[in-house]
Amino acid sequence: MDTVTRPRILVVGAGFAGVECVRRLERRLAPNEADLTLVTPFSYQLYLPLLPQVASGVLTPQSVALSLRRSEKYRTRIIPGGAIGVDLKSKVCVVRSVNGEIVNEPYDHIVLAPGSVTRTFDIPGLTDHAFGLKSLAEAAYLRDHVISQLDLADASHDPAERASRLQFVVVGGGYAGTETAACLQRLTHAAVKRYPRLDPGLIKWHLIDIAPKLMPELGEKLGRSAQEILTRRGIEISLGVSIAKAGAEEVTFTDGRTVPTRTLIWTAGVVASPLIATLDAETVRGRLAVNADMCLPGHDGVFALGDSAAVPDVAKGDDAVCPPTAQHALRQGRHVAENVIAALRGQPTRPYVHKDLGLVVDLGGTDAVSKPLGIELHGLPAQAVARGYHWSALRTGVAKTRVMTNWLLNAVAGDDFVRTGFQAHRPGSLRDFEYLDAYLTPEQVRQHVAEAGRAAR
Protein backbone atom coordinates (compact mmCIF):
# COMPACT_ATOMS: atom_id res chain seq x y z
CA MET A 1 0.00 0.00 0.00
CA ASP A 2 1.50 3.32 -1.09
CA THR A 3 1.60 6.13 1.45
CA VAL A 4 0.90 9.55 -0.06
CA THR A 5 2.58 12.36 1.86
CA ARG A 6 1.58 15.97 1.59
CA PRO A 7 4.17 18.60 0.59
CA ARG A 8 5.88 20.08 3.65
CA ILE A 9 6.04 23.88 3.80
CA LEU A 10 8.40 25.23 6.46
CA VAL A 11 8.31 28.92 7.40
CA VAL A 12 11.22 30.26 9.45
CA GLY A 13 10.49 33.35 11.53
CA ALA A 14 7.35 34.85 13.10
CA GLY A 15 7.87 38.49 12.21
CA PHE A 16 5.66 40.49 9.89
CA ALA A 17 6.76 38.54 6.81
CA GLY A 18 6.60 35.04 8.29
CA VAL A 19 3.24 35.42 10.01
CA GLU A 20 1.57 37.07 7.01
CA CYS A 21 2.85 34.23 4.83
CA VAL A 22 1.53 31.54 7.18
CA ARG A 23 -1.87 33.14 7.56
CA ARG A 24 -2.29 33.52 3.80
CA LEU A 25 -1.24 29.90 3.24
CA GLU A 26 -3.77 28.73 5.83
CA ARG A 27 -6.57 30.62 4.12
CA ARG A 28 -5.67 29.69 0.55
CA LEU A 29 -4.59 26.05 0.88
CA ALA A 30 -6.93 23.17 1.55
CA PRO A 31 -5.96 21.07 4.62
CA ASN A 32 -4.96 18.12 2.42
CA GLU A 33 -2.77 20.20 0.05
CA ALA A 34 0.21 20.73 2.36
CA ASP A 35 1.53 20.48 5.92
CA LEU A 36 2.45 23.87 7.40
CA THR A 37 5.17 24.33 10.02
CA LEU A 38 6.44 27.54 11.62
CA VAL A 39 9.80 27.76 13.44
CA THR A 40 10.00 30.59 15.97
CA PRO A 41 11.65 31.05 19.38
CA PHE A 42 8.51 32.73 20.73
CA SER A 43 4.89 31.90 19.95
CA TYR A 44 3.95 35.50 19.27
CA GLN A 45 4.40 38.10 16.57
CA LEU A 46 6.12 41.23 17.90
CA TYR A 47 4.86 44.54 16.53
CA LEU A 48 8.36 46.00 16.43
CA PRO A 49 7.59 49.66 15.46
CA LEU A 50 5.82 50.20 18.79
CA LEU A 51 8.70 49.00 21.00
CA PRO A 52 9.78 52.58 21.89
CA GLN A 53 6.31 53.08 23.37
CA VAL A 54 6.73 49.91 25.42
CA ALA A 55 10.10 51.15 26.68
CA SER A 56 8.54 54.47 27.66
CA GLY A 57 5.52 52.86 29.34
CA VAL A 58 2.86 54.18 26.96
CA LEU A 59 2.04 50.59 25.96
CA THR A 60 2.25 47.40 27.99
CA PRO A 61 4.47 44.59 26.64
CA GLN A 62 1.50 42.25 26.11
CA SER A 63 -0.25 44.75 23.84
CA VAL A 64 2.44 44.47 21.13
CA ALA A 65 2.97 40.69 21.43
CA LEU A 66 0.32 39.07 19.24
CA SER A 67 -0.17 35.45 20.26
CA LEU A 68 0.10 32.78 17.56
CA ARG A 69 -1.78 30.23 19.66
CA ARG A 70 -4.85 32.29 20.51
CA SER A 71 -7.09 31.05 17.70
CA GLU A 72 -8.21 27.43 17.55
CA LYS A 73 -8.83 27.54 13.80
CA TYR A 74 -5.17 27.83 12.78
CA ARG A 75 -3.66 24.52 11.75
CA THR A 76 0.02 25.43 11.45
CA ARG A 77 2.34 23.38 13.65
CA ILE A 78 4.58 25.69 15.69
CA ILE A 79 8.08 24.52 16.60
CA PRO A 80 9.29 26.58 19.60
CA GLY A 81 12.94 27.09 18.82
CA GLY A 82 15.41 28.85 16.59
CA ALA A 83 16.64 27.81 13.14
CA ILE A 84 20.43 27.68 13.34
CA GLY A 85 21.29 26.26 9.92
CA VAL A 86 19.84 25.21 6.57
CA ASP A 87 21.20 22.52 4.24
CA LEU A 88 19.78 23.51 0.86
CA LYS A 89 21.01 20.35 -0.89
CA SER A 90 19.41 17.94 1.60
CA LYS A 91 16.38 20.20 2.14
CA VAL A 92 16.78 20.14 5.90
CA CYS A 93 16.52 22.96 8.43
CA VAL A 94 18.49 22.48 11.65
CA VAL A 95 16.55 23.73 14.67
CA ARG A 96 17.63 24.23 18.27
CA SER A 97 14.44 23.74 20.30
CA VAL A 98 13.67 25.62 23.50
CA ASN A 99 14.93 22.70 25.58
CA GLY A 100 18.33 22.82 23.85
CA GLU A 101 17.81 19.76 21.66
CA ILE A 102 19.04 20.06 18.05
CA VAL A 103 16.66 18.49 15.55
CA ASN A 104 16.45 18.25 11.77
CA GLU A 105 13.28 19.49 10.14
CA PRO A 106 12.92 18.32 6.50
CA TYR A 107 10.93 20.39 4.02
CA ASP A 108 9.80 20.48 0.40
CA HIS A 109 9.33 24.26 0.33
CA ILE A 110 10.97 26.65 2.76
CA VAL A 111 10.20 30.33 3.36
CA LEU A 112 13.09 32.12 5.05
CA ALA A 113 11.94 35.12 7.05
CA PRO A 114 14.27 35.04 10.09
CA GLY A 115 14.43 38.83 10.31
CA SER A 116 17.44 40.77 11.48
CA VAL A 117 19.69 41.41 14.45
CA THR A 118 21.23 44.62 15.74
CA ARG A 119 24.13 45.86 13.63
CA THR A 120 27.21 46.45 15.74
CA PHE A 121 30.77 47.49 15.02
CA ASP A 122 34.14 46.71 16.55
CA ILE A 123 33.87 49.48 19.12
CA PRO A 124 35.57 48.82 22.49
CA GLY A 125 32.99 48.09 25.17
CA LEU A 126 29.96 48.40 22.89
CA THR A 127 28.35 44.98 23.32
CA ASP A 128 29.20 44.92 27.03
CA HIS A 129 27.71 48.29 27.95
CA ALA A 130 25.14 49.27 25.32
CA PHE A 131 21.43 48.45 25.46
CA GLY A 132 19.51 47.40 22.36
CA LEU A 133 15.85 47.70 21.41
CA LYS A 134 15.02 44.77 19.12
CA SER A 135 13.04 42.53 21.46
CA LEU A 136 10.26 42.69 24.00
CA ALA A 137 12.67 41.75 26.78
CA GLU A 138 15.02 44.60 25.83
CA ALA A 139 12.18 47.13 25.83
CA ALA A 140 10.99 45.99 29.27
CA TYR A 141 14.54 45.99 30.62
CA LEU A 142 15.30 49.43 29.19
CA ARG A 143 12.26 50.99 30.88
CA ASP A 144 13.30 49.50 34.22
CA HIS A 145 16.86 50.70 33.72
CA VAL A 146 15.90 54.30 32.89
CA ILE A 147 13.57 54.62 35.88
CA SER A 148 16.18 53.00 38.12
CA GLN A 149 18.67 55.70 37.11
CA LEU A 150 16.32 58.30 38.57
CA ASP A 151 15.98 56.26 41.77
CA LEU A 152 19.74 55.79 42.07
CA ALA A 153 20.45 59.44 41.30
CA ASP A 154 17.94 60.46 43.96
CA ALA A 155 19.65 58.18 46.50
CA SER A 156 23.20 59.28 45.63
CA HIS A 157 25.16 61.82 47.67
CA ASP A 158 27.85 62.16 44.98
CA PRO A 159 27.12 65.04 42.53
CA ALA A 160 29.25 63.43 39.81
CA GLU A 161 27.43 60.10 40.08
CA ARG A 162 24.08 61.86 40.10
CA ALA A 163 24.93 63.79 36.95
CA SER A 164 26.16 60.69 35.12
CA ARG A 165 23.02 58.74 35.96
CA LEU A 166 20.87 61.53 34.55
CA GLN A 167 22.61 61.65 31.16
CA PHE A 168 21.40 59.33 28.41
CA VAL A 169 22.94 58.62 24.99
CA VAL A 170 21.06 57.17 22.01
CA VAL A 171 23.06 56.15 18.93
CA GLY A 172 21.12 56.00 15.67
CA GLY A 173 19.22 58.75 13.88
CA GLY A 174 16.81 56.46 12.05
CA TYR A 175 13.23 55.74 13.04
CA ALA A 176 14.07 53.47 15.98
CA GLY A 177 16.66 55.80 17.50
CA THR A 178 14.67 58.97 16.99
CA GLU A 179 11.44 57.52 18.40
CA THR A 180 13.32 55.92 21.32
CA ALA A 181 15.04 59.16 22.28
CA ALA A 182 11.78 61.10 21.91
CA CYS A 183 9.64 58.69 23.94
CA LEU A 184 12.14 58.08 26.74
CA GLN A 185 12.91 61.80 27.05
CA ARG A 186 9.20 62.38 27.68
CA LEU A 187 9.28 59.62 30.29
CA THR A 188 12.18 61.14 32.25
CA HIS A 189 10.80 64.69 31.87
CA ALA A 190 7.49 63.61 33.43
CA ALA A 191 9.03 61.29 36.06
CA VAL A 192 11.55 63.79 37.47
CA LYS A 193 8.63 65.88 38.78
CA ARG A 194 8.09 63.08 41.31
CA TYR A 195 11.67 63.43 42.59
CA PRO A 196 11.86 66.72 44.56
CA ARG A 197 15.58 66.26 45.33
CA LEU A 198 16.56 66.03 41.65
CA ASP A 199 17.27 69.06 39.51
CA PRO A 200 15.39 68.61 36.18
CA GLY A 201 18.17 70.56 34.49
CA LEU A 202 20.57 67.66 35.14
CA ILE A 203 18.60 65.35 32.84
CA LYS A 204 20.26 65.41 29.42
CA TRP A 205 19.51 63.31 26.37
CA HIS A 206 21.98 62.97 23.48
CA LEU A 207 20.97 61.62 20.05
CA ILE A 208 23.92 61.00 17.75
CA ASP A 209 24.30 59.55 14.28
CA ILE A 210 27.17 59.25 11.82
CA ALA A 211 24.89 60.42 8.98
CA PRO A 212 24.75 64.13 8.09
CA LYS A 213 20.94 64.28 8.41
CA LEU A 214 18.28 62.98 10.77
CA MET A 215 15.97 60.46 9.07
CA PRO A 216 16.90 61.47 5.49
CA GLU A 217 14.06 59.28 4.13
CA LEU A 218 11.59 61.88 5.37
CA GLY A 219 12.99 64.58 3.14
CA GLU A 220 14.62 67.89 3.98
CA LYS A 221 11.55 69.67 5.40
CA LEU A 222 10.16 66.92 7.64
CA GLY A 223 13.60 65.83 8.78
CA ARG A 224 14.34 69.38 9.86
CA SER A 225 10.93 69.60 11.56
CA ALA A 226 11.63 66.43 13.57
CA GLN A 227 15.03 67.77 14.57
CA GLU A 228 13.49 71.07 15.71
CA ILE A 229 10.91 69.23 17.84
CA LEU A 230 13.57 67.18 19.59
CA THR A 231 15.86 70.17 20.07
CA ARG A 232 12.99 72.19 21.56
CA ARG A 233 12.50 69.40 24.10
CA GLY A 234 16.14 69.68 25.12
CA ILE A 235 17.56 66.67 23.28
CA GLU A 236 21.06 67.45 22.06
CA ILE A 237 21.50 66.16 18.50
CA SER A 238 24.97 65.53 17.08
CA LEU A 239 25.26 64.44 13.44
CA GLY A 240 28.37 63.11 11.74
CA VAL A 241 29.34 61.63 15.11
CA SER A 242 29.44 58.09 16.50
CA ILE A 243 30.88 56.20 19.45
CA ALA A 244 34.64 55.65 19.79
CA LYS A 245 34.56 53.81 23.11
CA ALA A 246 31.91 52.69 25.59
CA GLY A 247 32.46 52.18 29.29
CA ALA A 248 30.36 51.38 32.34
CA GLU A 249 30.26 55.01 33.44
CA GLU A 250 31.15 57.09 30.36
CA VAL A 251 31.00 57.14 26.59
CA THR A 252 33.56 58.69 24.25
CA PHE A 253 32.34 60.19 20.98
CA THR A 254 34.37 60.15 17.79
CA ASP A 255 34.68 63.95 17.97
CA GLY A 256 36.63 63.58 21.20
CA ARG A 257 33.90 64.44 23.69
CA THR A 258 33.44 62.24 26.75
CA VAL A 259 29.97 62.05 28.26
CA PRO A 260 29.54 60.61 31.75
CA THR A 261 26.56 58.26 31.50
CA ARG A 262 25.27 54.90 32.69
CA THR A 263 22.86 54.56 29.73
CA LEU A 264 23.99 53.95 26.16
CA ILE A 265 21.19 52.87 23.82
CA TRP A 266 22.36 51.46 20.48
CA THR A 267 19.87 51.56 17.57
CA ALA A 268 22.30 52.11 14.69
CA GLY A 269 20.68 49.81 12.15
CA VAL A 270 20.21 46.10 11.61
CA VAL A 271 21.80 43.27 9.64
CA ALA A 272 20.33 40.03 8.34
CA SER A 273 19.97 37.13 10.73
CA PRO A 274 23.13 35.00 11.06
CA LEU A 275 21.02 32.12 9.71
CA ILE A 276 21.58 33.50 6.19
CA ALA A 277 25.33 32.87 6.45
CA THR A 278 24.70 29.16 7.05
CA LEU A 279 23.20 28.74 3.56
CA ASP A 280 26.51 29.42 1.83
CA ALA A 281 24.60 31.34 -0.87
CA GLU A 282 25.13 34.69 -2.60
CA THR A 283 24.30 37.76 -0.52
CA VAL A 284 23.92 41.50 -1.09
CA ARG A 285 25.29 43.43 1.90
CA GLY A 286 24.57 40.41 4.09
CA ARG A 287 21.02 39.89 2.81
CA LEU A 288 20.21 36.81 0.73
CA ALA A 289 20.18 37.58 -3.01
CA VAL A 290 16.80 36.56 -4.44
CA ASN A 291 14.84 37.13 -7.64
CA ALA A 292 11.94 39.56 -7.89
CA ASP A 293 9.54 36.68 -7.09
CA MET A 294 11.56 36.09 -3.88
CA CYS A 295 12.88 32.70 -5.06
CA LEU A 296 16.49 31.79 -4.38
CA PRO A 297 18.21 31.31 -7.76
CA GLY A 298 19.27 27.73 -8.44
CA HIS A 299 17.23 26.22 -5.61
CA ASP A 300 13.69 25.01 -6.20
CA GLY A 301 11.26 25.59 -3.37
CA VAL A 302 13.42 28.11 -1.49
CA PHE A 303 11.95 31.58 -0.86
CA ALA A 304 13.34 34.44 1.21
CA LEU A 305 11.87 37.79 2.17
CA GLY A 306 11.84 40.53 4.80
CA ASP A 307 14.91 41.94 6.51
CA SER A 308 17.11 38.97 5.57
CA ALA A 309 16.50 39.09 1.81
CA ALA A 310 17.62 41.59 -0.81
CA VAL A 311 14.31 41.65 -2.68
CA PRO A 312 14.61 43.75 -5.88
CA ASP A 313 12.49 46.90 -5.67
CA VAL A 314 10.80 46.68 -9.06
CA ALA A 315 8.81 49.88 -8.39
CA LYS A 316 12.04 51.92 -8.16
CA GLY A 317 13.98 50.04 -10.81
CA ASP A 318 17.75 50.08 -11.36
CA ASP A 319 19.49 47.93 -8.75
CA ALA A 320 17.34 49.10 -5.83
CA VAL A 321 16.29 46.60 -3.16
CA CYS A 322 13.34 46.89 -0.81
CA PRO A 323 14.22 48.51 2.52
CA PRO A 324 13.83 46.42 5.70
CA THR A 325 10.53 47.97 6.80
CA ALA A 326 7.36 46.49 8.26
CA GLN A 327 5.39 47.83 5.31
CA HIS A 328 7.37 45.77 2.80
CA ALA A 329 7.56 42.71 5.07
CA LEU A 330 3.77 42.55 5.43
CA ARG A 331 3.15 42.70 1.71
CA GLN A 332 6.04 40.39 0.84
CA GLY A 333 4.62 37.81 3.26
CA ARG A 334 1.27 37.75 1.46
CA HIS A 335 2.91 37.77 -1.94
CA VAL A 336 5.37 34.98 -1.24
CA ALA A 337 2.51 32.82 0.05
CA GLU A 338 0.82 33.18 -3.34
CA ASN A 339 4.09 32.23 -5.04
CA VAL A 340 4.50 29.15 -2.82
CA ILE A 341 0.95 28.10 -3.74
CA ALA A 342 1.73 28.69 -7.43
CA ALA A 343 4.85 26.53 -7.14
CA LEU A 344 2.84 23.77 -5.46
CA ARG A 345 0.25 23.82 -8.21
CA GLY A 346 2.73 24.05 -11.09
CA GLN A 347 1.81 27.64 -11.93
CA PRO A 348 4.19 30.54 -12.66
CA THR A 349 5.29 32.80 -9.82
CA ARG A 350 4.90 36.58 -9.97
CA PRO A 351 7.39 39.34 -9.11
CA TYR A 352 6.82 41.43 -6.00
CA VAL A 353 5.89 45.03 -6.82
CA HIS A 354 4.90 47.57 -4.20
CA LYS A 355 5.25 51.32 -4.00
CA ASP A 356 5.85 52.87 -0.59
CA LEU A 357 2.67 54.28 0.93
CA GLY A 358 4.63 56.69 3.08
CA LEU A 359 6.47 57.06 6.37
CA VAL A 360 5.31 57.78 9.91
CA VAL A 361 7.36 58.81 12.96
CA ASP A 362 5.68 59.05 16.37
CA LEU A 363 7.60 61.41 18.67
CA GLY A 364 5.23 61.02 21.62
CA GLY A 365 2.44 63.22 22.93
CA THR A 366 1.07 65.38 20.15
CA ASP A 367 4.39 65.44 18.28
CA ALA A 368 4.88 63.45 15.08
CA VAL A 369 5.96 63.79 11.47
CA SER A 370 4.40 61.75 8.69
CA LYS A 371 4.52 61.49 4.93
CA PRO A 372 1.51 59.44 3.77
CA LEU A 373 1.32 59.13 -0.02
CA GLY A 374 3.91 61.91 -0.32
CA ILE A 375 1.91 64.43 1.74
CA GLU A 376 4.04 66.05 4.45
CA LEU A 377 2.35 66.40 7.85
CA HIS A 378 3.46 67.33 11.35
CA GLY A 379 1.81 67.86 14.73
CA LEU A 380 -1.61 66.40 15.52
CA PRO A 381 -2.50 65.44 11.92
CA ALA A 382 0.78 63.54 11.63
CA GLN A 383 0.16 61.91 15.01
CA ALA A 384 -3.31 60.78 13.91
CA VAL A 385 -1.86 59.26 10.73
CA ALA A 386 1.03 57.58 12.58
CA ARG A 387 -1.11 55.97 15.25
CA GLY A 388 -3.89 55.19 12.79
CA TYR A 389 -1.43 53.33 10.57
CA HIS A 390 0.05 51.32 13.44
CA TRP A 391 -3.38 50.54 14.87
CA SER A 392 -4.74 49.32 11.55
CA ALA A 393 -1.62 47.18 10.94
CA LEU A 394 -2.15 45.21 14.16
CA ARG A 395 -3.28 41.75 13.15
CA THR A 396 -5.94 40.96 15.75
CA GLY A 397 -8.90 42.73 17.29
CA VAL A 398 -7.61 41.90 20.78
CA ALA A 399 -4.31 43.65 20.05
CA LYS A 400 -6.10 46.66 18.60
CA THR A 401 -8.28 46.93 21.70
CA ARG A 402 -5.31 46.67 24.06
CA VAL A 403 -3.26 49.26 22.18
CA MET A 404 -6.13 51.75 21.89
CA THR A 405 -6.97 51.30 25.58
CA ASN A 406 -3.33 51.88 26.54
CA TRP A 407 -3.15 55.03 24.41
CA LEU A 408 -6.34 56.46 25.91
CA LEU A 409 -5.38 55.55 29.47
CA ASN A 410 -1.92 57.05 29.10
CA ALA A 411 -3.34 60.24 27.60
CA VAL A 412 -5.81 60.66 30.46
CA ALA A 413 -3.96 59.27 33.50
CA GLY A 414 -0.29 59.45 32.51
CA ASP A 415 2.39 57.07 33.76
CA ASP A 416 2.86 55.50 37.19
CA PHE A 417 6.68 55.30 36.71
CA VAL A 418 6.76 51.78 38.14
CA ARG A 419 9.76 49.58 37.56
CA THR A 420 9.28 45.85 37.92
CA GLY A 421 12.79 44.87 38.93
CA PHE A 422 13.11 42.88 35.70
CA GLN A 423 16.56 41.28 35.69
CA ALA A 424 17.53 43.66 38.48
CA HIS A 425 20.67 41.71 39.36
CA ARG A 426 21.73 40.79 35.84
CA PRO A 427 23.20 42.85 33.01
CA GLY A 428 20.97 43.52 30.04
CA SER A 429 23.35 44.62 27.33
CA LEU A 430 23.38 43.67 23.65
CA ARG A 431 25.53 40.66 24.49
CA ASP A 432 22.83 39.26 26.78
CA PHE A 433 19.81 39.46 24.48
CA GLU A 434 21.04 38.36 21.04
CA TYR A 435 22.33 34.79 20.95
CA LEU A 436 24.66 35.22 18.00
CA ASP A 437 26.90 32.31 19.00
CA ALA A 438 24.04 29.82 18.55
CA TYR A 439 24.34 29.54 14.77
CA LEU A 440 26.29 26.85 12.91
CA THR A 441 28.74 27.29 10.06
CA PRO A 442 27.75 25.87 6.64
CA GLU A 443 30.21 23.01 7.22
CA GLN A 444 28.70 22.22 10.64
CA VAL A 445 25.21 22.20 9.12
CA ARG A 446 26.20 19.69 6.43
CA GLN A 447 28.05 17.54 8.95
CA HIS A 448 25.09 17.47 11.35
CA VAL A 449 22.62 16.58 8.60
CA ALA A 450 24.90 13.82 7.27
CA GLU A 451 25.41 12.31 10.73
CA ALA A 452 21.67 12.35 11.40
CA GLY A 453 21.07 10.64 8.06
CA ARG A 454 23.57 7.89 8.84
CA ALA A 455 22.05 7.36 12.28
CA ALA A 456 18.57 7.04 10.76
CA ARG A 457 19.77 4.28 8.43
Side-chain angles (χ1 to χ4, degrees):
M1 180 175 178
D2 295 332
T3 301
V4 178
T5 59
R6 291 186 292 267
R8 297 161 297 187
I9 301 175
L10 180 66
V11 179
V12 176
F16 290 105
V19 171
E20 284 299 309
C21 175
V22 166
R23 295 305 182 229
R24 178 62 64 93
L25 289 172
E26 287 180 327
R27 287 192 294 269
R28 296 273 286 110
L29 285 175
N32 61 350
E33 276 193 89
D35 290 328
L36 303 178
T37 303
L38 176 65
V39 178
T40 174
F42 306 105
S43 57
Y44 61 79
Q45 176 194 356
L46 177 63
Y47 194 87
L48 203 62
L50 291 178
L51 274 188
Q53 295 190 36
V54 174
S56 63
V58 175
L59 298 176
T60 60
Q62 189 179 6
S63 63
V64 300
L66 287 65
S67 174
L68 301 176
R69 299 188 187 276
R70 187 176 183 86
S71 176
E72 296 179 359
K73 68 181 180 181
Y74 297 134
R75 66 177 190 273
T76 299
R77 170 188 167 221
I78 297 176
I79 299 179
I84 59 175
V86 178
D87 188 331
L88 297 175
K89 184 178 180 181
S90 301
K91 290 198 168 186
V92 169
C93 180
V94 183
V95 178
R96 177 178 277 116
S97 63
V98 290
N99 64 1
E101 181 184 5
I102 298 179
V103 297
N104 291 344
E105 190 65 29
Y107 62 84
D108 297 298
H109 295 81
I110 187 170
V111 178
L112 296 168
S116 56
V117 296
T118 304
R119 178 181 62 182
T120 58
F121 300 98
D122 190 18
I123 299 173
L126 177 63
T127 56
D128 291 317
H129 302 294
F131 303 104
L133 194 62
K134 276 282 290 176
S135 68
L136 203 58
E138 286 176 309
Y141 183 91
L142 187 56
R143 172 176 167 80
D144 261 19
H145 171 81
V146 169
I147 295 177
S148 72
Q149 296 313 296
L150 298 177
D151 288 341
L152 291 167
D154 187 54
S156 176
H157 301 289
D158 181 356
E161 179 189 351
R162 183 177 297 174
S164 72
R165 291 194 181 279
L166 297 179
Q167 288 208 73
F168 306 88
V169 178
V170 179
V171 183
Y175 303 112
T178 301
E179 290 187 338
T180 298
C183 291
L184 287 175
Q185 185 274 338
R186 281 180 56 84
L187 169 67
T188 55
H189 179 74
V192 75
K193 297 174 183 177
R194 306 293 189 269
Y195 294 83
R197 294 181 65 249
L198 293 182
D199 177 8
L202 289 177
I203 296 182
K204 296 180 181 178
W205 280 86
H206 303 264
L207 175 60
I208 71 173
D209 193 276
I210 197 65
K213 294 181 180 180
L214 197 68
M215 293 183 295
E217 301 90 343
L218 284 174
E220 185 72 30
K221 185 178 178 181
L222 283 183
R224 186 169 61 249
S225 178
Q227 188 167 340
E228 289 171 356
I229 291 170
L230 298 182
T231 301
R232 187 168 63 246
R233 288 195 196 167
I235 298 176
E236 183 178 323
I237 299 173
S238 301
L239 300 175
V241 176
S242 189
I243 295 296
K245 184 173 62 174
E249 299 181 5
E250 66 178 23
V251 171
T252 303
F253 294 174
T254 52
D255 62 4
R257 285 181 291 163
T258 297
V259 175
T261 181
R262 311 296 177 97
T263 309
L264 171 61
I265 304 170
W266 181 267
T267 62
V270 297
V271 294
S273 166
L275 177 67
I276 298 304
T278 72
L279 274 67
D280 206 14
E282 182 183 353
T283 58
V284 178
R285 295 184 178 180
R287 300 167 72 184
L288 196 61
V290 295
N291 297 326
D293 60 357
M294 291 173 281
C295 293
L296 183 63
H299 297 278
D300 292 335
V302 180
F303 300 82
L305 66 162
D307 292 4
S308 286
V311 180
D313 194 338
V314 177
K316 290 184 178 179
D318 298 325
D319 294 326
V321 297
C322 296
T325 63
Q327 183 180 152
H328 277 290
L330 282 166
R331 288 159 180 79
Q332 287 174 4
R334 298 169 195 151
H335 192 92
V336 84
E338 296 295 338
N339 281 347
V340 171
I341 294 169
L344 277 174
R345 296 173 179 174
Q347 300 168 352
T349 57
R350 296 182 298 107
Y352 168 76
V353 183
H354 172 68
K355 192 173 183 179
D356 278 338
L357 299 178
L359 306 166
V360 295
V361 182
D362 190 336
L363 300 175
T366 59
D367 294 325
V369 290
S370 301
K371 197 175 181 179
L373 302 174
I375 302 171
E376 296 186 345
L377 302 172
H378 56 83
L380 276 174
Q383 182 67 284
V385 169
R387 294 204 170 180
Y389 171 78
H390 289 314
W391 186 82
S392 64
L394 292 166
R395 187 172 47 81
T396 67
V398 172
K400 290 180 179 180
T401 302
R402 283 183 176 140
V403 167
M404 183 60 72
T405 302
N406 284 176
W407 278 339
L408 292 174
L409 186 61
N410 185 265
V412 173
D415 199 329
D416 290 327
F417 313 114
V418 172
R419 61 187 177 96
T420 63
F422 181 75
Q423 289 197 342
H425 303 292
R426 291 182 56 194
S429 62
L430 287 167
R431 183 187 297 278
D432 300 292
F433 282 108
E434 292 191 336
Y435 307 103
L436 302 183
D437 57 349
Y439 295 89
L440 305 179
T441 65
E443 292 76 16
Q444 289 173 324
V445 171
R446 289 191 289 269
Q447 181 181 353
H448 177 81
V449 171
E451 289 175 352
R454 287 194 293 270
R457 290 194 296 268

